[in-house]
Amino acid sequence: MTGFERTRDLVERVSRCGRTADGVLRLALTEEDRRAREIVVDEMERLGMTVRTDACCNIWGRCEGSGDHPGVVMGSHLDAVPHGGDYDGVLGVAAGLGVVSDILAENPRPRRSLSVVVFTSEESSRFSLSCIGSRAVTGNLSLGDTLRFRDEKGITLLNALHSFGGQPEYLQRDCLAPASYHSYFELHIEQGPVLDWSGEDVGIVEAIAAPTRFMLEIVGQQVHSGACPMNMRHDALTAAAELILAVERAGGEESEFGSVATVGVCQCEPGAMNVVPGRVVLKVDIRGIVEKSIRRVFRAVISRLRAVEKERGVKIALTPYCGDSPVAMDGLLARRIEGVCRQRGVKYRRMPSGAGHDAMYMASLIPSALIFVPCKDGISHNPAESVLWERLRPGYEV
Ligand code: GLV
Ligand code: MN
Ligand code: MN
């Protein structure tokens, strides 16, 4: 099998872990994730790589180079959003292993060491925190964070890591030594429509939008829906509805700067038809490439929030999750990738990434490159996520 064929085969095998009639269910640090990890570890061993799992449960497959030159790392993640697709993240891990197998077939002892990494929990779906593994190895995750972030069932990130053999007490120990690495490469589907619609096969990412995320807890008064007159209500859900629209409006007003704002979670309590809702939880995700624009969106939401509190007699508490800064990818690597595209006649464009990726944390320590390939109609975080494999080949080869 060629490396490209191996890549496809591995993506197909991993995507069976957690497959349902309605997309993939493979949240981080669950049984489905464990099965996916086992398949990848098997593949690493088959390629003769030494495999180690670090304190944050990231998996590192490595083959040693012939000299002591800084090594090259490739990778991405295996966890998925609920009802997600087959390619988000998995492609970057599988392609890393495909590339290693191609290189080893040509030269069993390359000059630089080659590593492939599976980062833990890139998706924020389980712990409301994204890029957990790549934050950890770049010194951006503390033991306190692993106690603070919990899943829906109240399981802390700390306990989830322990149950997978992780050692969150030793996060510091497993931070990467930048001098040991030459570069990090992540191949990822674009998750937007630009490449699919333009017919270009490669996107060279120049910068990654960063998320500002927080939870809003709106507390009104739970009362009888038949007995309580309209003018005496403090309905938490209608207050939430105003905020959801305010988030959308605030994002829309900054769209010329590429900012976006979304409420992706709305939990209403007690959730009965004959009860005026007393408590609603919203989770808000604001992103952009221009930091000032992200701040303006945030401030607009907060100012509406204060007004809604007064107008509707509800209390609104904000819990921050993250306020990351947009990240530039390495300019020199981008130019070299561009050179390779030109040499090979690959149609490419330079572009930003609206979605978050482990490359944004790796970039804080190691020169990093994110290479996009097209996915059908740009649909992602959706069971319908799909690719035309022949359109992935140029990006893989680059
Ligand atoms: C990762 O998928 C993200 O939410 O950007
Ligand atoms: Mn994703
Ligand atoms: Mn991803």
Side-chain angles (χ1 to χ4, degrees):
M1 261 203 273
T2 65
F4 188 63
E5 288 161 353
R6 266 176 193 269
T7 302
R8 181 171 184 170
D9 173 67
L10 192 54
V11 168
E12 283 169 359
R13 282 188 289 139
V14 167
S15 65
R16 283 181 218 130
C17 304
R19 159 136 330 132
T20 71
D22 191 17
V24 166
L25 282 179
R26 193 170 57 244
L27 292 182
L29 305 174
T30 59
E31 271 319 298
E32 294 74 22
D33 188 17
R34 195 190 296 279
R35 290 212 303 279
R37 286 161 174 260
E38 279 166 7
I39 291 171
V40 168
V41 167
D42 242 35
E43 189 70 13
M44 287 172 166
E45 286 172 348
R46 202 178 330 194
L47 288 171
M49 302 177 100
T50 51
V51 182
R52 111 190 137 79
T53 302
D54 69 17
C56 197
C57 300
N58 299 311
I59 301 169
W60 297 85
R62 179 180 169 103
C63 52
E64 289 307 324
S66 57
D68 57 359
H69 307 283
V72 172
V73 190
M74 293 166 280
S76 195
H77 61 100
L78 299 179
D79 64 313
V81 297
H83 306 290
D86 293 348
Y87 304 93
D88 176 0
V90 182
L91 179 68
V93 173
L97 289 168
V99 166
V100 168
S101 81
D102 280 342
I103 292 175
L104 294 182
E106 249 176 49
N107 174 9
R109 207 70 208 277
R111 208 158 56 94
R112 296 186 189 279
S113 71
L114 297 172
S115 301
V116 174
V117 57
V118 174
F119 285 118
T120 296
S121 197
E122 188 267 357
E123 303 290 2
S124 51
S125 312
R126 181 164 178 202
F127 295 103
S128 302
L129 184 68
S130 60
C131 301
I132 290 174
S134 49
R135 280 179 201 263
V137 294
T138 54
N140 289 295
L141 186 80
S142 67
L143 182 61
D145 293 331
T146 70
L147 277 161
R148 184 159 80 85
F149 287 94
R150 295 168 180 269
D151 70 4
E152 295 277 276
K153 295 188 186 125
I155 299 171
T156 58
L157 174 57
L158 180 106
N159 282 343
L161 289 169
H162 277 156
S163 73
F164 256 60
Q167 294 178 296
E169 301 77 10
Y170 295 100
L171 291 175
Q172 210 75 31
R173 180 199 66 194
D174 285 351
C175 281
L176 297 178
S180 310
Y181 294 99
H182 172 272
S183 46
Y184 170 72
F185 291 88
E186 184 165 350
L187 187 77
H188 205 288
I189 54 168
E190 181 204 331
Q191 305 183 279
V194 176
L195 296 176
D196 194 36
W197 293 357
S198 70
E200 289 143 340
D201 289 320
V202 164
I204 304 171
V205 175
E206 296 184 301
I208 305 180
T212 289
R213 291 175 169 152
F214 49 91
M215 177 177 87
L216 295 176
E217 185 192 18
I218 301 137
V219 179
Q221 190 177 35
Q222 179 180 327
V223 289
H224 195 294
S225 70
C228 183
M230 294 307 285
N231 64 354
M232 290 179 65
R233 297 182 177 200
H234 304 285
D235 183 330
L237 185 59
T238 50
E242 296 219 34
L243 292 176
I244 293 170
L245 291 173
V247 167
E248 185 186 52
R249 207 158 38 239
E253 276 163 13
E254 291 291 326
S255 57
E256 65 182 291
F257 299 99
S259 294
V260 290
T262 310
V263 176
V265 173
C266 174
Q267 291 156 340
C268 175
E269 291 174 16
M273 196 162 55
N274 58 349
V275 184
V276 176
R279 179 176 178 270
V280 172
V281 168
L282 302 179
K283 291 187 181 175
V284 186
D285 178 12
I286 303 171
R287 308 202 201 191
I289 299 284
V290 180
E291 202 141 14
K292 280 190 180 150
S293 167
I294 301 173
R295 296 289 129 233
R296 284 195 295 269
V297 176
F298 181 73
R299 282 199 301 272
V301 173
I302 298 304
S303 104
R304 186 68 197 119
L305 182 158
R306 295 296 163 230
V308 168
E309 264 189 328
K310 280 207 193 98
E311 290 160 16
R312 292 183 167 270
V314 296
K315 282 267 163 270
I316 306 174
L318 184 151
T319 307
Y321 288 143
C322 66
D324 300 335
S325 294
V327 175
M329 294 291 98
D330 187 73
L332 190 59
L333 282 182
R335 279 201 295 283
R336 291 184 68 174
I337 293 167
E338 191 165 27
V340 175
C341 287
R342 287 215 177 107
Q343 220 174 35
R344 303 180 75 100
V346 170
K347 284 182 279 172
Y348 72 92
R349 78 160 60 204
R350 287 173 167 263
M351 61 189 300
S353 169
H357 298 284
D358 292 304
M360 58 202 273
Y361 287 94
M362 290 301 273
S364 66
L365 283 192
I366 296 166
S368 294
L370 177 61
I371 301 176
F372 276 168
V373 285
C375 59
K376 184 108 187 27
D377 294 325
I379 290 175
S380 183
H381 283 189
N382 184 312
E385 192 175 86
S386 78
V387 299
L388 284 175
W389 274 93
E390 275 316 305
R391 290 208 61 199
L392 305 191
R393 192 187 283 276
Y396 171 86
E397 289 176 350
V398 163

